[in-house]
Amino acid sequence: GYGGQYIASGGTDGTIQIYDVNGGFVTHNYKPHKSLITRIRFHPKRWLLFSSCVEGCMVIYDLTTSQVIASFNVHFSVLHTFDLFETNIKDSLGGLVTSGADNMLNIWDLDSLSNASRIGILPSNDLKDDIPPKKKKKHKDTQAISNFQPIKQIHSKETVFSLKCVPNIFSKRNESQDETPCSSPWVIMTGNEKSVLEIWDPLKGSVIREVSLAGDQESKSAILSIFLDSLSSIDLSRSTERPQLNHFLILVTENRKILTLQYPSAKHTQ
């Protein structure tokens, strides 16, 4: 996180440690979960760390104050994965998308958190020195949110094991038979248990495109991870037409296969 200077690790006992790569020391060591950590993610603009565990619990931790901002159970079963998305609103925290074994995609508005405009921000003197958040004495945070609710829930026919939130670079017009128009500025890309990659419209809760990665004679396997090269250089405000891009998707499946696809066409590379 943060330019590659910090690395976060999660243990089987629910403990999280954050390391300063340049300094070679631990900046934070805390235990926000009671079971195995399944995923960790730094916020792209704030000093916040998001973590989940196998029990379906999600925790948002403020690294500047060493306090839990929110702790909530997001699914009625195992939480498989989550991702963050950004908005074009100034100083917005953006949002969160989670998926679990209950076949639900939950969308959360992070700006609805208490003191959303102030959490995860370093004091001005720390920003000048460009140093990591200082460790503070831990104490029980009585204001941690436990009743945080999603703003939208989408039901998936199959269990989603991986997801990624990306800018919508698909045409707003239905230019092909396998693509549904989408007006959302961002989309949800998911990989399910039957080797199917789906791209969702988060506003309508419907699938824009569906790509089966397994042939007729191949055994189906869950897509466990989705990687996409950076889209941050794309200026979507310059044109309303489909950009000519040469990006790639890398998918990792449960049967130990690594697949590379062109994006957004989702065609296999040679």
Side-chain angles (χ1 to χ4, degrees), residues 3-114:
Q5 185 177 351
Y6 303 99
I7 296 177
S9 67
T12 57
D13 62 346
T15 299
I16 291 177
Q17 290 185 324
I18 301 175
Y19 304 85
D20 185 311
V21 176
N22 296 335
F25 56 86
V26 175
T27 63
H28 295 77
N29 185 0
Y30 63 104
K31 188 176 181 180
H33 298 278
K34 297 179 180 179
S35 58
L36 173 70
I37 304 292
T38 55
R39 185 169 174 82
I40 302 175
R41 179 74 185 271
F42 287 100
H43 191 277
K45 296 181 178 179
R46 303 278 189 95
W47 290 94
L48 300 172
L49 188 70
F50 294 73
S51 60
S52 61
C53 69
V54 293
E55 294 181 350
C57 181
M58 189 89 193
V59 171
I60 305 175
Y61 189 78
D62 190 331
L63 299 171
T64 67
T65 60
S66 295
Q67 292 184 11
V68 172
I69 299 300
S71 177
F72 47 98
N73 197 323
V74 299
H75 292 273
F76 295 104
S77 57
V78 176
L79 194 158
H80 286 146
T81 187
F82 68 86
D83 197 16
L84 303 171
F85 65 88
E86 298 183 49
T87 68
N88 56 6
I89 302 174
K90 184 179 179 181
D91 298 326
S92 170
L93 278 174
L96 168 73
V97 180
T98 61
S99 70
D102 56 358
N103 288 24
M104 297 299 297
L105 295 172
N106 291 340
I107 303 176
W108 313 75
D109 178 15
L110 296 178
D111 289 325
S112 64
L113 290 170
S114 179

Side-chain angles (χ1 to χ4, degrees), residues 43 48 58 65 79 94 151 159 171 211 219 261:
H43 191 277
L48 300 172
M58 189 89 193
T65 60
L79 194 158
I151 58 173
T159 303
S171 173
V211 180
S219 61
L261 307 178

